[in-house]
Amino acid sequence: MATDFPEDLAAGYGRYLQKGYVRFREAQERLAIYGQRPEVMVISCCDSRVTPEGVFHVGPGELFVVRNVANLVPPYEETEGQHGTSAAIEYAVKVLKVKHIVVMGHAQCGGVRAFRETANAPLVTGEFIGRWIKLLEPAAIAMACMPVDKLDDPQLAMEYAGVRQSLKNLRTFPFVDAAVSAGALKVHGAWFDIGSGELRVMDPETEKFEPCLAAGADDT
Ligand SMILES: [Zn+2]
Protein backbone atom coordinates (compact mmCIF):
# COMPACT_ATOMS: atom_id res chain seq x y z
CA MET A 1 0.00 0.00 0.00
CA ALA A 2 1.47 3.36 -1.04
CA THR A 3 1.05 5.71 1.85
CA ASP A 4 2.81 8.48 3.69
CA PHE A 5 1.68 7.07 7.00
CA PRO A 6 4.67 7.32 9.38
CA GLU A 7 6.64 4.09 9.39
CA ASP A 8 7.32 4.32 13.11
CA LEU A 9 3.61 4.40 13.78
CA ALA A 10 2.92 1.44 11.52
CA ALA A 11 5.71 -0.52 13.21
CA GLY A 12 4.40 0.47 16.63
CA TYR A 13 0.93 -0.66 15.64
CA GLY A 14 2.39 -4.02 14.67
CA ARG A 15 3.90 -4.36 18.12
CA TYR A 16 0.61 -3.30 19.67
CA LEU A 17 -1.21 -6.09 17.83
CA GLN A 18 1.32 -8.63 19.07
CA LYS A 19 1.58 -7.41 22.64
CA GLY A 20 -0.83 -4.63 23.64
CA TYR A 21 -3.97 -5.95 22.02
CA VAL A 22 -3.24 -9.50 23.06
CA ARG A 23 -2.80 -8.32 26.62
CA PHE A 24 -6.08 -6.42 26.67
CA ARG A 25 -8.00 -8.55 24.16
CA GLU A 26 -10.65 -9.73 26.59
CA ALA A 27 -11.11 -6.26 28.06
CA GLN A 28 -11.39 -4.68 24.64
CA GLU A 29 -13.89 -7.26 23.41
CA ARG A 30 -15.98 -6.61 26.52
CA LEU A 31 -15.68 -2.85 26.02
CA ALA A 32 -16.78 -3.20 22.40
CA ILE A 33 -19.85 -5.21 23.38
CA TYR A 34 -20.92 -3.42 26.54
CA GLY A 35 -19.50 0.06 25.96
CA GLN A 36 -17.27 2.17 28.16
CA ARG A 37 -17.94 2.86 31.81
CA PRO A 38 -14.91 4.75 33.10
CA GLU A 39 -15.30 6.19 36.56
CA VAL A 40 -12.57 8.80 36.15
CA MET A 41 -12.16 11.69 33.77
CA VAL A 42 -8.70 13.24 33.40
CA ILE A 43 -8.13 16.69 31.94
CA SER A 44 -4.50 16.83 30.93
CA CYS A 45 -2.13 18.81 28.71
CA CYS A 46 -1.40 17.96 25.07
CA ASP A 47 2.26 17.73 26.05
CA SER A 48 3.64 14.46 24.69
CA ARG A 49 5.51 13.82 27.92
CA VAL A 50 2.37 13.65 30.03
CA THR A 51 0.24 10.62 29.25
CA PRO A 52 -2.59 9.99 31.73
CA GLU A 53 -2.85 6.26 30.95
CA GLY A 54 0.88 5.94 31.49
CA VAL A 55 0.98 7.97 34.70
CA PHE A 56 -1.91 6.03 36.23
CA HIS A 57 -0.84 2.76 34.66
CA VAL A 58 -4.25 1.77 33.33
CA GLY A 59 -5.54 0.06 30.22
CA PRO A 60 -8.34 0.74 27.76
CA GLY A 61 -11.70 1.80 29.12
CA GLU A 62 -10.46 3.05 32.47
CA LEU A 63 -9.94 6.77 31.91
CA PHE A 64 -12.03 9.26 29.97
CA VAL A 65 -9.39 11.73 28.85
CA VAL A 66 -9.49 15.17 27.30
CA ARG A 67 -6.20 16.88 26.57
CA ASN A 68 -5.73 20.50 25.62
CA VAL A 69 -3.01 23.13 25.78
CA ALA A 70 -2.12 23.70 29.45
CA ASN A 71 -4.88 21.37 30.79
CA LEU A 72 -7.37 24.19 31.10
CA VAL A 73 -11.08 24.10 31.86
CA PRO A 74 -12.88 27.13 30.46
CA PRO A 75 -15.73 28.60 32.47
CA TYR A 76 -19.27 27.52 31.56
CA GLU A 77 -20.44 29.56 28.57
CA GLU A 78 -23.54 29.58 26.46
CA THR A 79 -21.90 31.59 23.69
CA GLU A 80 -21.63 30.22 20.20
CA GLY A 81 -18.41 28.45 19.37
CA GLN A 82 -16.88 25.04 19.41
CA HIS A 83 -16.49 24.19 23.05
CA GLY A 84 -14.55 20.93 22.79
CA THR A 85 -13.39 20.61 26.38
CA SER A 86 -16.81 21.61 27.69
CA ALA A 87 -18.44 18.99 25.45
CA ALA A 88 -16.16 16.31 26.88
CA ILE A 89 -17.01 17.39 30.44
CA GLU A 90 -20.70 17.32 29.63
CA TYR A 91 -20.42 13.81 28.21
CA ALA A 92 -18.37 12.57 31.14
CA VAL A 93 -20.74 13.92 33.77
CA LYS A 94 -24.13 13.58 32.14
CA VAL A 95 -23.73 10.39 30.14
CA LEU A 96 -20.88 8.42 31.69
CA LYS A 97 -21.61 9.76 35.19
CA VAL A 98 -17.95 9.62 36.17
CA LYS A 99 -17.25 9.73 39.89
CA HIS A 100 -14.05 11.74 39.68
CA ILE A 101 -12.58 14.47 37.50
CA VAL A 102 -8.84 15.01 37.80
CA VAL A 103 -7.27 18.16 36.37
CA MET A 104 -3.61 17.24 35.94
CA GLY A 105 -1.05 19.98 35.42
CA HIS A 106 2.60 19.28 34.83
CA ALA A 107 6.15 20.59 35.03
CA GLN A 108 7.65 22.68 32.22
CA CYS A 109 4.23 23.33 30.69
CA GLY A 110 4.75 25.20 27.43
CA GLY A 111 1.23 26.64 27.49
CA VAL A 112 1.80 28.11 30.94
CA ARG A 113 5.19 29.39 29.86
CA ALA A 114 3.66 31.05 26.78
CA PHE A 115 1.20 32.84 29.03
CA ARG A 116 3.90 33.99 31.42
CA GLU A 117 6.22 35.20 28.71
CA THR A 118 3.52 37.05 26.83
CA ALA A 119 1.73 38.41 29.88
CA ASN A 120 2.78 41.95 28.97
CA ALA A 121 2.53 41.48 25.24
CA PRO A 122 -0.18 38.88 24.56
CA LEU A 123 -0.28 37.03 21.28
CA VAL A 124 -2.59 38.66 18.79
CA THR A 125 -6.19 37.89 19.55
CA GLY A 126 -6.65 36.14 16.21
CA GLU A 127 -4.30 33.35 17.19
CA PHE A 128 -5.69 30.30 18.89
CA ILE A 129 -3.07 29.77 21.58
CA GLY A 130 -3.09 33.40 22.64
CA ARG A 131 -6.84 33.39 23.11
CA TRP A 132 -6.89 30.00 24.77
CA ILE A 133 -4.23 30.68 27.38
CA LYS A 134 -5.98 33.89 28.37
CA LEU A 135 -7.98 31.49 30.48
CA LEU A 136 -4.98 31.70 32.81
CA GLU A 137 -5.50 35.41 33.52
CA PRO A 138 -7.78 34.88 36.55
CA ALA A 139 -5.27 32.30 37.82
CA ALA A 140 -2.48 34.87 37.64
CA ILE A 141 -4.58 37.37 39.57
CA ALA A 142 -5.56 34.77 42.17
CA MET A 143 -1.95 33.70 42.52
CA ALA A 144 -0.83 37.26 43.17
CA CYS A 145 -3.33 37.52 46.04
CA MET A 146 -2.64 34.13 47.52
CA PRO A 147 -0.03 33.50 50.21
CA VAL A 148 -0.03 29.77 49.45
CA ASP A 149 2.96 28.62 47.44
CA LYS A 150 4.79 31.88 47.33
CA LEU A 151 7.38 30.05 45.40
CA ASP A 152 10.78 30.95 44.17
CA ASP A 153 9.67 29.15 41.03
CA PRO A 154 7.13 31.33 39.20
CA GLN A 155 6.60 28.73 36.48
CA LEU A 156 5.60 26.09 39.04
CA ALA A 157 3.44 28.59 40.92
CA MET A 158 1.58 29.39 37.70
CA GLU A 159 1.15 25.69 36.86
CA TYR A 160 -0.46 25.16 40.28
CA ALA A 161 -2.58 28.29 39.91
CA GLY A 162 -3.82 27.10 36.52
CA VAL A 163 -5.03 23.84 38.03
CA ARG A 164 -6.76 25.69 40.87
CA GLN A 165 -8.48 28.00 38.38
CA SER A 166 -9.60 25.08 36.24
CA LEU A 167 -11.15 23.44 39.30
CA LYS A 168 -13.02 26.67 40.02
CA ASN A 169 -14.17 26.86 36.41
CA LEU A 170 -15.39 23.26 36.57
CA ARG A 171 -17.81 24.24 39.31
CA THR A 172 -19.35 26.90 37.02
CA PHE A 173 -20.89 24.09 34.96
CA PRO A 174 -24.34 23.65 36.54
CA PHE A 175 -24.35 19.88 36.04
CA VAL A 176 -20.88 19.56 37.58
CA ASP A 177 -21.83 21.69 40.55
CA ALA A 178 -25.04 19.70 41.05
CA ALA A 179 -23.21 16.36 40.93
CA VAL A 180 -20.54 17.58 43.36
CA SER A 181 -23.17 18.97 45.73
CA ALA A 182 -25.05 15.66 45.60
CA GLY A 183 -21.86 13.78 46.49
CA ALA A 184 -21.89 11.88 43.20
CA LEU A 185 -18.78 13.55 41.81
CA LYS A 186 -15.45 14.65 43.24
CA VAL A 187 -13.01 16.98 41.53
CA HIS A 188 -9.28 16.84 42.12
CA GLY A 189 -6.18 18.82 41.27
CA ALA A 190 -2.91 17.10 40.47
CA TRP A 191 0.49 17.97 39.07
CA PHE A 192 3.01 15.67 37.39
CA ASP A 193 6.76 16.14 37.37
CA ILE A 194 8.09 14.81 34.08
CA GLY A 195 11.68 14.21 35.10
CA SER A 196 11.15 12.45 38.44
CA GLY A 197 7.75 10.92 37.73
CA GLU A 198 6.42 12.43 40.96
CA LEU A 199 2.69 13.08 41.17
CA ARG A 200 1.37 15.68 43.57
CA VAL A 201 -2.28 15.99 44.54
CA MET A 202 -3.97 19.17 45.72
CA ASP A 203 -5.31 19.19 49.25
CA PRO A 204 -8.80 20.73 48.86
CA GLU A 205 -8.58 22.46 52.24
CA THR A 206 -5.22 24.16 51.91
CA GLU A 207 -5.01 24.08 48.09
CA LYS A 208 -1.40 22.98 48.49
CA PHE A 209 0.03 20.24 46.33
CA GLU A 210 1.34 17.26 48.29
CA PRO A 211 2.93 13.96 47.19
CA CYS A 212 0.20 11.63 45.92
CA LEU A 213 1.16 8.50 47.76
CA ALA A 214 1.20 10.22 51.17
CA ALA A 215 -1.96 12.23 50.41
CA GLY A 216 -3.91 9.34 48.96
CA ALA A 217 -2.51 6.44 50.94
CA ASP A 218 -5.97 5.23 51.98
CA ASP A 219 -7.03 4.96 48.34
CA THR A 220 -4.51 2.27 47.54
ZN1 LIG B 1 1.50 21.59 29.23
Side-chain angles (χ1 to χ4, degrees):
M1 181 171 58
T3 170
D4 288 336
F5 196 73
E7 284 179 18
D8 286 354
L9 291 189
Y13 173 64
R15 291 192 297 276
Y16 159 76
L17 275 186
Q18 289 172 351
K19 296 181 180 171
Y21 180 71
V22 167
R23 183 173 162 212
F24 291 113
R25 180 196 299 263
E26 269 186 44
Q28 292 202 205
E29 286 173 349
R30 248 192 341 266
L31 288 165
I33 294 168
Y34 300 109
Q36 61 169 336
R37 299 191 63 183
E39 294 191 347
V40 179
M41 176 184 197
V42 178
I43 299 168
S44 179
C45 187
C46 297
D47 193 304
S48 62
R49 301 165 297 177
V50 184
T51 58
E53 287 87 350
V55 171
F56 296 108
H57 201 57
V58 296
E62 296 191 60
L63 295 180
F64 187 74
V65 176
V66 63
R67 294 173 71 164
N68 62 43
V69 172
N71 44 266
L72 296 172
V73 175
Y76 177 80
E77 284 181 340
E78 290 174 328
T79 56
E80 296 215 1
Q82 317 304 335
H83 301 290
T85 296
S86 303
I89 294 167
E90 181 178 40
Y91 191 78
V93 175
K94 286 189 172 178
V95 180
L96 298 174
K97 300 188 189 310
V98 296
K99 294 177 179 172
H100 301 272
I101 299 179
V102 178
V103 177
M104 184 166 73
H106 71 96
Q108 291 118 36
C109 183
V112 169
R113 182 170 294 119
F115 173 80
R116 290 182 49 241
E117 291 177 355
T118 59
N120 296 317
L123 297 173
V124 290
T125 51
E127 293 190 45
F128 293 109
I129 293 176
R131 287 161 64 190
W132 176 250
I133 60 176
K134 275 191 171 189
L135 288 169
L136 283 166
E137 279 178 350
I141 293 165
M143 187 178 75
C145 307
M146 199 168 176
V148 173
D149 300 325
K150 276 290 176 198
L151 307 167
D152 353 336
D153 184 341
Q155 170 75 16
L156 178 61
M158 196 64 227
E159 287 162 0
Y160 285 173
V163 172
R164 293 187 188 106
Q165 186 61 43
S166 286
L167 292 174
K168 285 191 184 76
N169 289 350
L170 258 182
R171 295 296 296 269
T172 65
F173 288 73
F175 47 86
V176 170
D177 194 54
V180 171
S181 299
L185 172 66
K186 290 191 166 78
V187 297
H188 312 270
W191 176 90
F192 179 69
D193 186 47
I194 295 163
S196 69
E198 181 186 7
L199 184 73
R200 298 178 189 166
V201 172
M202 195 189 86
D203 181 322
E205 301 280 317
T206 63
E207 297 200 341
K208 283 188 174 181
F209 286 74
E210 312 281 0
C212 173
L213 289 183
D218 57 356
D219 288 331
T220 58

